[in-house]
Amino acid sequence: MADNIKPTEGELEILNILWEKGPSTVRTVHEVLEKAKGSGYTTTLKLMQIMHDKGLVKRDSSSRVHIYEAAISKIKTQGQILRKMVDTVFAGNTMQMVIQALGNHKADPAELEAIRKYLDEIEKK
Amino acid sequence: MADNIKPTEGELEILNILWEKGPSTVRTVHEVLEKAKGSGYTTTLKLMQIMHDKGLVKRDSSSRVHIYEAAISKIKTQGQILRKMVDTVFAGNTMQMVIQALGNHKADPAELEAIRKYLDEIEKK
DNA sequence: GTCGTTATACGAATGATTTCGTAAACAAAC
DNA sequence: GTTTGTTTACGAAATCATTCGTATAACGAC
């Protein structure tokens, strides 16, 4: 499973929908995408078929209406993309990236507190 | 200047080199890239010309050997890519992304301390 | 000047991603 | 059974990124 997952932009949009909604039909996914960016039904279908070929999604084709499901974990995929981004954009410097993320984002006190708690946890180990 | 900058993978590699080395010739950039991935001289040249067309780099062509320089700021570009990544991969949830980044990365005490200080600063404002 | 070297310019091939038109399969309604 | 609508399958066009071959121009050494 040590795959080099690299979903494209469009594939990621679909994965996000599947992660959120769980196993879904093409139509369900398409309806979200149509609202978001007005793409056509067959476009979504084709993308999902390609994703199936690549192993990014599983599908149950026992009935006429196929049910698609994400085949890769959200956390793992996020982690992989994140790590790559840090490498290519921040020269591997995670801390610099975190600082900048915190700087851009207007965090409210609760969020800051959550991070502090998390830092404590890391430190304990 | 509120551009929708979106350097490709290859363009980003070149930008990183230019940010690090400052204004450089194609040859200089090429030599780094050749070591890193064995690409050819004209490949680098073409990419840099495209980047010039797109406005990603400036160049001084007053002498035979053109001098290229990044036209977009490192911080700004990093911030833009980061924000987009958070949006598409983490559904806009910066905090979740930060937590995950900290979790993946084995931070040493000094780094943790730096973040705490930074959190304090944010809070003061 | 001519020759060899190094530079830029141009165009085209390749491959990946995204998009969609059209066909075929199927089911439900009539 | 025929029509209508929904679904999947197939293939091809359009776009973009990457790569490189070849042409052309400029410079320095001789």
Side-chain angles (χ1 to χ4, degrees):
Chain A
M1 214 208 244
D3 301 351
N4 255 26
I5 319 172
K6 216 211 151 200
T8 67
E9 197 95 349
E11 288 169 349
L12 205 54
E13 288 181 282
I14 290 177
L15 282 173
N16 274 322
I17 295 167
L18 291 178
W19 283 327
E20 196 208 335
K21 292 190 179 282
S24 307
T25 65
V26 173
R27 176 145 302 278
T28 305
V29 172
H30 161 63
E31 267 156 15
V32 178
L33 250 37
E34 189 182 29
K35 262 195 189 124
K37 48 177 218 164
S39 52
Y41 178 85
T42 53
T43 300
T44 303
L45 170 65
K46 181 69 169 186
L47 242 186
M48 291 176 78
Q49 287 172 340
I50 290 172
M51 291 170 75
H52 182 249
D53 289 348
K54 292 190 189 173
L56 295 176
V57 297
K58 290 177 287 195
R59 82 177 163 193
D60 173 355
S61 52
S62 61
S63 79
R64 190 161 95 89
V65 180
H66 299 183
I67 309 289
Y68 287 80
E69 183 183 355
I72 59 180
S73 104
K74 179 175 177 179
I75 293 292
K76 210 168 198 169
T77 305
Q78 287 177 330
Q80 229 147 3
I81 296 174
L82 180 56
R83 197 167 314 117
K84 177 164 191 177
M85 202 276 285
V86 170
D87 282 349
T88 61
V89 180
F90 290 87
N93 192 334
T94 298
M95 288 306 134
Q96 194 207 318
M97 188 277 287
V98 168
I99 299 275
Q100 191 167 145
L102 292 175
N104 288 343
H105 175 74
K106 288 194 226 330
D108 63 43
E111 289 176 325
L112 296 179
E113 200 42 48
I115 291 194
R116 283 214 180 79
K117 278 222 178 81
Y118 189 74
L119 292 177
D120 291 344
E121 259 179 55
I122 293 178
E123 209 151 43
K124 248 184 273 170
K125 290 192 312 190
Chain B
M1 211 208 248
D3 302 350
N4 256 24
I5 319 173
K6 215 211 152 202
T8 67
E9 197 93 349
E11 289 168 349
L12 204 54
E13 287 181 283
I14 290 176
L15 283 174
N16 275 322
I17 295 167
L18 291 178
W19 283 327
E20 197 208 335
K21 291 189 180 284
S24 307
T25 64
V26 174
R27 175 143 307 275
T28 306
V29 172
H30 161 64
E31 268 154 17
V32 178
L33 251 35
E34 189 182 28
K35 264 197 188 122
K37 47 178 217 162
S39 52
Y41 178 86
T42 51
T43 300
T44 303
L45 169 65
K46 181 67 169 187
L47 243 185
M48 292 177 77
Q49 286 172 339
I50 290 172
M51 290 170 76
H52 183 248
D53 289 348
K54 292 189 189 172
L56 295 176
V57 297
K58 292 176 285 198
R59 80 177 166 195
D60 173 355
S61 50
S62 60
S63 79
R64 187 162 94 91
V65 180
H66 300 183
I67 308 289
Y68 287 78
E69 182 183 356
I72 59 181
S73 102
K74 180 175 177 179
I75 292 292
K76 212 167 197 171
T77 305
Q78 287 177 331
Q80 229 147 2
I81 295 173
L82 181 56
R83 198 168 312 117
K84 175 159 192 183
M85 204 275 286
V86 171
D87 282 349
T88 61
V89 181
F90 290 86
N93 191 333
T94 298
M95 289 306 135
Q96 195 207 316
M97 186 277 287
V98 168
I99 299 274
Q100 193 169 144
L102 293 174
N104 289 342
H105 175 74
K106 289 194 224 332
D108 63 41
E111 290 176 324
L112 296 178
E113 200 42 48
I115 292 193
R116 284 215 178 78
K117 278 220 178 81
Y118 190 72
L119 292 178
D120 291 344
E121 259 179 55
I122 292 178
E123 209 151 42
K124 248 183 274 171
K125 292 191 313 188

